[in-house]
Structures are given as structure tokens and as C-alpha cells.
């Protein structure tokens, strides 16, 4: 099945926007955050207009409705990643908070001085800094699976590291800079054989291709709604039930308790144990609408479309003299093209593209160590999602030629 | 757009007049823009009356950050350290002759922050120095 992109684009009103008079938006920054379809906007709007109440404790109609909508969204998200139970889906603010939850709760309870955590050189800062903090606090050791010149992980080094008896392997499913899709199932299987748990950063994979957490046998997975046509302010942590149950709570407060005495508390059951305080209710409902939207199109069709986009983009970008695209060949990556243009700083590239309505990102994309590895301070990054077209890639390429004219 | 990349900016970016180092120097300071990794170093020579007798900058970054550094360094030669302490955001915008949004403003102002932190003898270039 292929997607009808022009029909899909009608679902995203922002794509009609003129950035300045006569200049239409070409949005190539979905890796940072995706645009939102009307069904997601409507779900949140409808909640506020019609059902808004705080969840769980109320017995009035609005509270009942709000609670049901909030929990239905959780079920939809669980189904979307093929979790056994919605109780394994913990709402967080985003991927970053999900990873921090594991580091603070599981990490503090289970890691001690000299324990090894394996990460990779292509991690987003959100999967580095929580472990740096734990290293400073507990003296855990960090080792990194290196990235080779093509942007692929060196699994031989990984196998060697595994012989040191790591406690956790935490890695990104897809790089937000190189676009590399890592062989998650193999990495997780090897981790388990070595007695380690595996945490998957799904920020860039869950939005773009079908994920089955049971087939992957992953222990934890973090992802954000805003990168998968949902709202900001909501994300999720998936975890294996027995792990989540054994973990101490993260934040303390209302909703996460079963019983509170003046000097003690008993934590609530899953998933509420990890959801302290009034959550982002409307956003959770928007998250539910987002996964339904993606399911309606079909994740395989979305992945196929993005593969077509990146194949075409690489072909066009590589024909431009002075452009260097980072990361592996199209078949091994998702819809991300981070590039440099000789003699022009990525900020200037992005600025001139912006004048043509083409929105790309410039900087280190929260992956500074990776940029250091490749000896570049920054890249420009174009990224593609279900609503992007070949014409938009042409606009990007024409824009880069314009940049060259300016700086020629 | 044509505004933002006015010829003067492209010219100062491509052919800066004051890129380099002074050795010896009286004041030397460097810092980064953490957002985008732009880097600026400034070297100043100061005479007995407290005026800048010579100045240079070095670093890397976008056209806006490097051109504004070149223009700023050009403008401070002959100025007293007291005068430099009073330079602010608007002085940089006047030198560049353009309006800038909040993101690019950071690029344009990096050299001023570094210069003032050096003149004040501070450990890092903070935003407080721009007022
Ligand atoms: C691979 C990866 N991990 C984590 C994150 C962090 O996501 P969030 O900012 O939603 O927490 C991102 C976002 O850019 C990402 O691309």
C-alpha cells in the first residue's frame, strides 16, 4: 500500500502556511518535532470543550469521561508498540524524562560503584547526561560502542565490551543525526546473553516504523509524542512489568500512592506508581489520537514512503559539489540527512534556506560527541516524514545552490 | 534575506581584516556559543592611558558571528577600556546594520560578550554583559 501524500497533507493545516508573502513552507525538520494533523488537534480541543476534569479521583461525569479518555489513549499506545498490557505504558513528558526515570529509579536501586553501563557514540544528550549524573553520584562506569566512518555501530567492539559484564545497554534505535537504524534486536539479544538489561531510545524509531516491544524483547523503551504527530509535553516509558514493579517510585506526590500516613506511604500499582501529580491529560489524549492516525495510514506504508524520500534526497544532495552527507547508505537509515557544505557554516545554510521557506535545523542536534567524532562543529539537517514530497526535496536542493551563489 | 547577508557581512566573513593573534598581548579571552559551537577569541593590546592600541580576533562560526567580530574589533581600536565596558547590543546591531531574530542575535553578540568578559577580567562570557 502506498500513501496518498497530497491527501495526507490536507490533514496538516500548517503545511499550507506561507512563511512570508508568496513563500510556502517546506517543512524538513520533523526529526526535531513533527507537525500535527487535525485529528490530534480536534481530540485535544474536544476534551477541553466537552469533558475537561481532573482524572481518577472524581465521581462526576466529567471526571469519569476524562479518566476514560486518558486511559483509552494509554491502551492505544500500548497496542501501537505491541505491549502486553497498558499498565506497562508510563506517561512521562518526553523521551528525556523516560530515560531519566530509568536512570533515577532503576539505576539508583540497581547500580553501584564500578558497574558498567554501555552506551554508543551516536547518543542524543538525553541518553548521555542521565548516565553522567549517575556516574558522578555512584561511580558507575560508562563505555561506548564506537561509530565507524559509515555511521554504523561497531558490533565487534560491543561483543568485547559485553565480556566485562555490563548491567545495562542503553542505545538509540535510530540516530537523529546520521539516520542510522541500529540492529536493535541483535543488540538486545546480545545484552541479555551477557546478563544485562537493554533500554531502547525509541524517539526516532517509534514515529517512523513498526515497533514490537515483545518481539524485540526490550526491557525499557522511551519515546515522545511530539515526534510522532502528537503534542508536546507527553511521552512514554515502556517497561517489562516485573522490572517496573520492582523499581522504587520516581517522583512522589498525588496519584502515585495507595496510602499515605504522616510519616510513610505505600506506592500505587503500575502505571500510576510513576505518575505523580496531575498529568498532561489533554496531551495524553492527543497522543492517543496520534497513534491512531499513524495506525490508520499503516506504519509499513509510512516507512516505505520515508525510504523513498531519503533515497531520492541522498541522490540529489550528493550531486551538489561541496555537500557531504553524514551517515550510512539509504537502505540502512531513516529519513534524516545531516550535511555540511564546504566553506559555509550550517547556520548560514539554514538561514538562506529559511528565506526560501525551507525549514531545516542547524547545530549539533543534541549530539555533540558525535559531531566531535567527525571533527565538525555543526551540520545542517533535513529530515523527512509522512507528509514530505519529492518536490520539497527539490526545493531543498535548489536552496543549497542559492546558498552557494551567496557565498560563491 | 538580502538584508541579512548584506555584502558588508559576506565581505567581512570572507576577508576579515582583523583575524589573527597578538603576541604579546595585555588581554586575551575566548568563549563559545554553546548553542551552535561558534567560537571567538580576542587579543587586545592596551596603552598606558588605558586605550586599545591594537586588537585581533580568531575563531570559527557562521557569517554573522565572524563578521560581527571583525567589525567590532575594527571599531574598538583607539577606544578606552571604559568605553568598551559601555558597549551594548545596539552598538553591534548598528555595526551590522541589520535586524536579527533571537537565535541569530546570539551569534552576532558572541564577540561583544567575549570582548567585555576579557576587559572585565571575568571567567566566562555571560549574557549580563550585553546590557
Ligand atoms: C534519538 C533521540 N533521543 C532523544 C530525544 C529527546 O527527545 P525529547 O526532547 O522529546 O525528550 C531526541 C529528540 O531530538 C532524539 O532524536
Amino acid at each position: 500500500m502506498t500513501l496518498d501524500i497530497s491527501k495526507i497533507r490536507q490533514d496538516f493545516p500548517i503545511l499550507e502556511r506561507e512563511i512570508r508573502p508568496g513563500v510556502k513552507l517546506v517543512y524538513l525538520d520533523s526529526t526535531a518535532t513533527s507537525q500535527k494533523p487535525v485529528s490530534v488537534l480536534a481530540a485535544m480541543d474536544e476534551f477541553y470543550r466537552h469533558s475537561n476534569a481532573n482524572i481518577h479521583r472524581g465521581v462526576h461525569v466529567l471526571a469519569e469521561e476524562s479518566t476514560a479518555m486518558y486511559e483509552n489513549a494509554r491502551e492505544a499506545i500500548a497496542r501501537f508498540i505491541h505491549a502486553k498490557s497498558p499498565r506497562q505504558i508510563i506517561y512521562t513528558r518526553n523521551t528525556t524524562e523516560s530515560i531519566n526515570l530509568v536512570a533515577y529509579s532503576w539505576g539508583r536501586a540497581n547500580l553501584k560503584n564500578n558497574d558498567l553501563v554501555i552506551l554508543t557514540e551516536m547518543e542524543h544528550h538525553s541518553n548521555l547526561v542521565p548516565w553522567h549524573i549517575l556516574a558522578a553520584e555512584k561511580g558507575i562506569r560508562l563505555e561506548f560502542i564506537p561509530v565507524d566512518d559509515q555511521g554504523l555501530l561497531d558490533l565487534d567492539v560491543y561483543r568485547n565490551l559485553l565480556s566485562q559484564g555490563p548491567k545495562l545497554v542503553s542505545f538509540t534505535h535510530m540516530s537523529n543525526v546520521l539516520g542510522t537504524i541500529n540492529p536493535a534486536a541483535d543488540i538486545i539479544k546480545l545484552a541479555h546473553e551477557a546478563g544485562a538489561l537493554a533500554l531502547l531510545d525509541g524517539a526516532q524509531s517509534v514515529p517512523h516504523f513498526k515497533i514490537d516491544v515483545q518481539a524485540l524483547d526490550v526491557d525499557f523503551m522511551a519515546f515522545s509524542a511530539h515526534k510522532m504527530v502528537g503534542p508536546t509535553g507527553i511521552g512514554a516509558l515502556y517497561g517489562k512489568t516485573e522490572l517496573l514493579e520492582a523499581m522504587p517510585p520516581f517522583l512522589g506526590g498525588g496519584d502515585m500512592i495507595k496510602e499515605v500516613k504522616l510519616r510513610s506511604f505505600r506506592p500505587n500499582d503500575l502505571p500510576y506508581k510513576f505518575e505523580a501529580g496531575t498529568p498532561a491529560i489533554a496531551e495524553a489524549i492527543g497522543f492517543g489520537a496520534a497513534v491512531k492516525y499513524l495506525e490508520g495510514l499503516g506504519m509499513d506504508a509510512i516507512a516505505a514512503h520515508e525510504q523513498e524520500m531519503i533515497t531520492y534526497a541522498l541522490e540529489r544532495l550528493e550531486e551538489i559539489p561541496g555537500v557531504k552527507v553524514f551517515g550510512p547508505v539509504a537502505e540502512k537509515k531513516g529519513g534524516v540527512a545531516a550535511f555540511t557544505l564546504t566553506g559555509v557554516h550550517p547556520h548560514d545554510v539554514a538561514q538562506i534556506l529559511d528565506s526560501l521557506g525551507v525549514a531545516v535545523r542547524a547545530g549539533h542536534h543534541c549530539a555533540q560527541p558525535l559531531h566531535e567524532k567527525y571533527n565538525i562543529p555543526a551540520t545542517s539537517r533535513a529530515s523527512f516524514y509522512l507528509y514530505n514530497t519529492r518536490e520539497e526535496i527539490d526545493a531543498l536542493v535548489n536552496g543549497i545552490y542559492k546558498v552557494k551563489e551567496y557565498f560563491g | 534575506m538580502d538584508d541579512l547577508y548584506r555584502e558588508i557581512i559576506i565581505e567581512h566573513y570572507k576577508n576579515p581584516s582583523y583575524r589573527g593573534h597578538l603576541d604579546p598581548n595585555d588581554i586575551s579571552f575566548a568563549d563559545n556559543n554553546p548553542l551552535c559551537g561558534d567560537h571567538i577569541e580576542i587579543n587586545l593590546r592596551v596603552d598606558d592611558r588605558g586605550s586599545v592600541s591594537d586588537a585581533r580576533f580568531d575563531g570559527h562560526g557562521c557569517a554573522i558571528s565572524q563578521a560581527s567580530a571583525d567589525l567590532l574589533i575594527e571599531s574598538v581600536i583607539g577606544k578606552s577600556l571604559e568605553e568598551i565596558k559601555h558597549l551594548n547590543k545596539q552598538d553591534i546591531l548598528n555595526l551590522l546594520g541589520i535586524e536579527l531574530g533571537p537565535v541569530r542575535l546570539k551569534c552576532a553578540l558572541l564577540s561583544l560578550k567575549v570582548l567585555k568578559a576579557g576587559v572585565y577580567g571575568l571567567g566566562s562570557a555571560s549574557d549580563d554583559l550585553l546590557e
Side-chain angles (χ1 to χ4, degrees), chain B residues 39-53:
Chain B
H39 178 83
I40 299 275
E41 176 184 344
I42 54 110
N43 291 175
L44 303 180
R45 274 192 197 137
V46 185
D47 64 22
D48 332 335
R49 286 165 316 164
S51 290
V52 175
S53 57

Side-chain angles (χ1 to χ4, degrees), chain A residues 294-372:
Chain A
L294 295 175
E295 267 173 346
L297 296 176
M299 289 311 288
D300 289 338
I302 291 171
H305 174 68
E306 290 176 22
Q307 188 52 226
E308 188 192 323
M309 288 297 108
I310 190 65
T311 304
Y312 181 62
L314 292 186
E315 203 180 289
R316 295 282 340 255
L317 287 170
E318 275 158 9
E319 86 195 14
I320 308 173
V323 166
K324 176 171 162 51
V325 183
F326 292 82
V329 293
E331 303 78 68
K332 292 186 177 167
K333 72 192 242 164
V336 182
F339 63 93
T340 51
L341 174 62
T342 309
V344 189
H345 191 277
H347 266 189
D348 296 316
V349 174
Q351 187 90 53
I352 292 170
L353 289 175
D354 175 67
S355 73
L356 306 168
V358 180
V360 302
R361 192 148 287 254
H364 52 54
H365 319 294
C366 292
Q368 219 171 340
L370 181 66
H371 282 77
E372 263 161 36

Side-chain angles (χ1 to χ4, degrees), chain A residues 136-325:
Chain A
E137 193 180 305
K138 293 244 171 195
I140 63 167
R141 279 190 308 130
L142 305 178
E143 291 291 348
F144 299 86
I145 308 174
V147 181
D148 68 17
D149 290 342
Q150 293 169 59
L152 301 174
L153 292 178
D154 185 335
L155 295 184
D156 290 334
V157 175
Y158 175 49
R159 285 193 190 88
N160 276 333
L161 288 171
L162 286 173
S163 66
Q164 300 179 27
K167 291 285 182 339
L168 177 73
V169 179
S170 186
F171 68 103
T172 189
H173 202 168
M174 176 173 136
S175 163
N176 66 319
V177 179
L178 305 170
T180 315
I181 297 173
N182 291 318
D186 295 343
I187 293 174
I188 293 164
K189 186 158 174 281
L190 288 167
H192 288 162
E193 285 167 10
L197 296 184
L199 188 165
L200 190 59
D201 173 352
Q204 296 299 347
S205 59
V206 179
H208 299 289
F209 48 90
K210 191 176 268 165
I211 302 289
D212 181 334
V213 286
Q214 294 183 69
L216 283 172
D217 197 25
V218 71
D219 299 292
F220 298 107
M221 185 173 76
F223 52 111
S224 299
H226 71 94
K227 293 184 195 286
M228 45 194 288
V229 310
T232 53
I234 189 92
L237 174 69
Y238 161 85
K240 283 188 182 160
T241 307
E242 52 297 357
L243 291 169
L244 293 173
E245 272 175 349
M247 277 157 59
F250 175 37
L251 301 173
D255 277 337
M256 54 73 67
I257 43 81
K258 208 167 238 170
E259 181 183 48
V260 178
K261 302 267 171 65
L262 263 185
R263 294 185 190 281
S264 64
F265 74 96
R266 274 200 305 136
N268 205 339
D269 296 331
L270 288 178
Y272 311 111
K273 176 167 103 179
F274 294 107
E275 293 178 4
T278 300
I281 304 167
E283 286 77 4
I285 291 162
F287 196 176
V291 300
K292 283 178 196 154
Y293 182 84
L294 295 175
E295 267 173 346
L297 296 176
M299 289 311 288
D300 289 338
I302 291 171
H305 174 68
E306 290 176 22
Q307 188 52 226
E308 188 192 323
M309 288 297 108
I310 190 65
T311 304
Y312 181 62
L314 292 186
E315 203 180 289
R316 295 282 340 255
L317 287 170
E318 275 158 9
E319 86 195 14
I320 308 173
V323 166
K324 176 171 162 51
V325 183

